[in-house]
Amino acid sequence: MGRLARTEGLTDIQREILHTVRGFVDKEILPVAGELEHRDEYPAEIVEGLKELGLFGLMIPEEYGGLGESLLTYALCVEEIARGWMSVSGIINTHFIVAHMLRHHGTEEQRAHFLPRMATGEVRGAFSMSEPALGSDVAAITSKGVRDGDDFLLTGQKMWLTNGGSSTLVAVLCRTDEGQPADAPPHRSMTTFLVEKEPGFGEVRPGLTIPGKIEKMGYKGVDTTEMIMDGLRIPAARVLGGTTGRGFYQMMDGVEVGRVNVAARGCGVALRAFELGIAYAQQRHTFGKPIAEHQAVQFRLAEMATKVEAAHALMVGAARTKDSGRRNDLEAGMAKYLAAEYCKEVVEGSFRIHGGYGFSKEYEIERLYREAPMLLIGEGTAEIQKMIIGRRLLEEYRERN
């Protein structure tokens, strides 16, 4: 393990977990990632390995069969996994957003019903907020949940579900207007529903259809889908927390975890790009010497390494803030913004070091070059992060003046 992206103050257990995950990445993910990615094939054997390691239960409390670890431990594991293949980290990300929301906002019955099976990976979660026409404007959702006796009927179209096909539990945000005045702010009329379904595509339960995978430039292997609800009947007992109108806050809490995850992915991909770049720079010769001995290449490596370190530090800080119980939207926004932007720049730097070979599918950097752009838009674009950061800074400094 190199000098970059180290984390001070870890416990022996955390170091042991990370050592195990890194070994799994080196042995089970890196050797097959390129082939699976080019075939856009779901990494079923890798997922089974993650189950055996207990990673699906990493942040789930021990009383529900999980390991009870912190967000920091999880983020560092994600960094390691993304270093191997970012798509694999996506498979566990939405799972943990849903597990986090259940742990902190679910009823005791909901926690007892879902969390033990989520800890083993028997139940795998997906997270559904976005819709085809709204992008980052969550308040504009049109999917609706209408009360029908002891049930709700859900109707609408959702977009960009990671694990949409492979998941068996989806946390879905819909508009529910019951009990709200006509002029109530949109966020007070939103509810999170826990939707159980069969894995696969097509009609996965009455009233619920998961079309085929969306074809993407990168981030392949993991299934990204739409979700169509047409009179989907959900018991009122599957309203997250048991009360309507709280969905927006529940989802935003989950998104904070998701943004730390995306920051960790950016750190992992950037670290791998740096590893590939510095190795290739010592192997490739021009003008009678390795290109690593050319000052211009050394400057590029120095810039890349500094960005890897800076992004890692912000990511760790955001995770530790959330673990402390404090609001971390400022820290998570900064970490996600910087890690995504720096990841793009480090990958491009490594791509340039590889020269023409970087354009070949035979070289790993080609895959990273197609994966990095997803981080610029996942869990909110750079512009959204800047808006969140700016608003929080104004809140903080107004309070102090």
Side-chain angles (χ1 to χ4, degrees), residues 165-220:
S166 55
S167 61
T168 54
L169 174 66
V170 186
V172 183
L173 187 66
C174 294
R175 185 176 300 282
T176 52
D177 297 325
E178 63 172 18
Q180 296 292 340
D183 59 348
H187 64 271
R188 292 185 182 175
S189 300
M190 296 184 191
T191 299
T192 303
F193 293 91
L194 302 170
V195 176
E196 297 172 86
K197 70 175 186 67
E198 292 296 318
F201 301 99
E203 189 174 41
V204 292
R205 66 176 283 179
L208 180 62
T209 299
I210 303 292
K213 294 196 300 184
I214 297 171
E215 295 293 329
K216 299 165 295 187
M217 175 177 72
Y219 196 41
K220 295 178 179 290

Side-chain angles (χ1 to χ4, degrees), residues 43 58 60 85 168 174 198 220 284 287 323 350 362 365 384-385:
L58 189 64
I60 293 173
W85 184 14
T168 54
C174 294
E198 292 296 318
K220 295 178 179 290
R284 174 75 168 175
F287 303 103
D323 283 333
S350 184
E362 294 182 15
I365 191 63
I384 290 294
Q385 307 310 317

Side-chain angles (χ1 to χ4, degrees), residues 41 53 57 65 72 81-82 86 89 103 121 142 150-151 162 185 194 221 231 236 251 272 291 295 352 368 392 396:
E41 180 177 329
L53 290 178
L72 174 61
I81 292 170
M86 189 178 74
S89 66
R103 176 184 174 187
T142 58
D150 293 332
D151 300 332
T162 301
L194 302 170
M251 286 276 177
R272 183 60 181 166
I291 63 172
Q295 189 180 64
R352 289 174 181 271
L368 303 187
R392 287 289 289 119
E396 289 286 329

Side-chain angles (χ1 to χ4, degrees), residues 44-340:
E45 291 187 13
I46 292 173
V47 170
E48 289 302 313
L50 296 177
K51 286 183 183 179
E52 292 178 11
L53 290 178
L55 286 188
F56 281 97
L58 189 64
M59 281 179 62
I60 293 173
E62 293 181 12
E63 64 187 287
Y64 298 109
L67 299 179
E69 273 295 330
S70 63
L71 178 59
L72 174 61
T73 307
Y74 169 62
L76 294 175
C77 287
V78 167
E79 182 179 39
E80 293 289 353
I81 292 170
R83 172 182 157 267
W85 184 14
M86 189 178 74
S87 293
V88 178
S89 66
I91 291 170
I92 60 174
N93 176 39
T94 55
H95 177 83
F96 270 110
I97 290 178
V98 178
H100 174 85
M101 291 167 64
L102 275 162
R103 176 184 174 187
H104 291 278
H105 305 289
T107 65
E108 180 50 43
E109 184 276 332
Q110 291 168 349
R111 291 194 292 268
H113 181 74
F114 289 114
L115 289 180
R117 292 182 297 141
M118 293 186 78
T120 63
E122 175 190 351
V123 169
R124 298 217 296 274
F127 172 81
S128 179
M129 221 172 29
S130 186
E131 296 182 1
L134 63 84
S136 298
D137 186 7
V138 180
I141 66 169
T142 58
S143 296
K144 294 198 70 173
V146 178
R147 174 80 72 168
D148 183 37
D150 293 332
D151 300 332
F152 282 85
L153 296 178
L154 309 188
T155 302
Q157 183 179 4
K158 309 299 282 189
M159 193 70 179
W160 305 118
L161 274 75
T162 301
N163 297 323
S166 55
S167 61
T168 54
L169 174 66
V170 186
V172 183
L173 187 66
C174 294
R175 185 176 300 282
T176 52
D177 297 325
E178 63 172 18
Q180 296 292 340
D183 59 348
H187 64 271
R188 292 185 182 175
S189 300
M190 296 184 191
T191 299
T192 303
F193 293 91
L194 302 170
V195 176
E196 297 172 86
K197 70 175 186 67
E198 292 296 318
F201 301 99
E203 189 174 41
V204 292
R205 66 176 283 179
L208 180 62
T209 299
I210 303 292
K213 294 196 300 184
I214 297 171
E215 295 293 329
K216 299 165 295 187
M217 175 177 72
Y219 196 41
K220 295 178 179 290
V222 62
D223 46 286
T224 306
T225 74
E226 300 174 64
M227 184 172 76
I228 300 169
M229 302 175 291
D230 185 10
L232 172 62
R233 185 172 293 275
I234 299 295
R238 289 295 173 259
V239 169
L240 181 62
T243 305
T244 60
R246 298 179 180 176
F248 180 82
Y249 302 103
Q250 295 164 346
M251 286 276 177
M252 290 304 104
D253 184 30
V255 164
E256 287 183 9
V257 172
R259 285 180 178 148
V260 173
N261 172 286
V262 173
R265 289 194 232 180
C267 292
V269 173
L271 179 58
R272 183 60 181 166
F274 173 81
E275 291 173 348
L276 294 171
I278 198 168
Y280 185 82
Q282 295 171 80
Q283 297 163 6
R284 174 75 168 175
H285 286 67
T286 61
F287 303 103
K289 60 183 178 181
I291 63 172
E293 295 183 15
H294 294 294
Q295 189 180 64
V297 175
Q298 292 177 10
F299 282 2
R300 190 178 298 282
L301 289 170
E303 292 170 0
M304 291 160 61
T306 302
K307 289 172 181 177
V308 168
E309 284 289 88
H312 176 83
L314 267 189
M315 179 270 290
V316 168
R320 282 180 161 150
T321 299
K322 187 75 170 177
D323 283 333
S324 72
R326 289 177 288 158
R327 179 179 176 183
N328 88 326
D329 53 344
L330 174 64
E331 291 81 1
M334 286 181 168
K336 192 274 174 184
Y337 166 59
L338 191 79

